[in-house]
């Protein structure tokens, strides 16, 4: 079961999204504008973490023409631009 995520072709994107999640969560807890915890930044961090999980767990099990697979490819294309 562990060999499937390790062989994922999107593992480098998953690592990138996890790092983005950690950095944004750090910014959320450091605070912005005098606040101690910023809820919108926490939400962005959770979105990055969700994308990381999707890249490792969900994407390898989908077919090439699955709507989720196409959506994630659009996200990657957008981020590359």
């Amino acid at each position: 079961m562990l060999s499937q995520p390790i062989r994922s072709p999107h593992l480098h994107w998953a690592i990138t999204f996890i790092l983005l999640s950690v950095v944004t969560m750090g910014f959320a807890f450091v605070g912005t504008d005098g606040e101690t915890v910023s809820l919108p930044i926490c939400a962005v961090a959770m979105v990055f973490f969700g994308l990381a999980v999707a890249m490792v767990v969900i994407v390898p099990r989908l077919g090439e023409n699955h709507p989720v697979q196409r959506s994630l490819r659009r996200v990657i294309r957008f981020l590359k631009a």
Side-chain angles (χ1 to χ4, degrees):
M1 189 165 117
L2 187 60
S3 64
Q4 179 77 15
I6 293 174
R7 294 181 185 173
S8 173
H10 301 290
L11 186 63
H12 59 284
W13 281 106
I15 292 169
T16 302
F17 286 131
I18 286 176
L19 290 174
L20 282 170
S21 174
V22 168
V23 168
T24 53
M25 192 58 77
F27 281 125
F29 281 105
V30 167
T32 56
D33 297 334
E35 299 174 351
T36 55
V37 176
S38 178
L39 188 59
I41 297 177
C42 285
V44 170
M46 292 308 295
V47 167
F48 284 141
F49 186 75
L51 283 171
V53 170
M55 290 291 176
V56 174
V57 176
I58 298 172
V59 172
R61 297 178 185 182
L62 300 176
E64 283 294 316
N65 291 326
H66 196 277
V68 174
Q69 181 83 313
R70 288 193 307 253
S71 297
L72 287 173
R73 274 187 272 165
R74 286 186 196 125
V75 168
I76 290 172
R77 240 181 290 142
F78 174 76
L79 291 173
K80 282 184 178 179

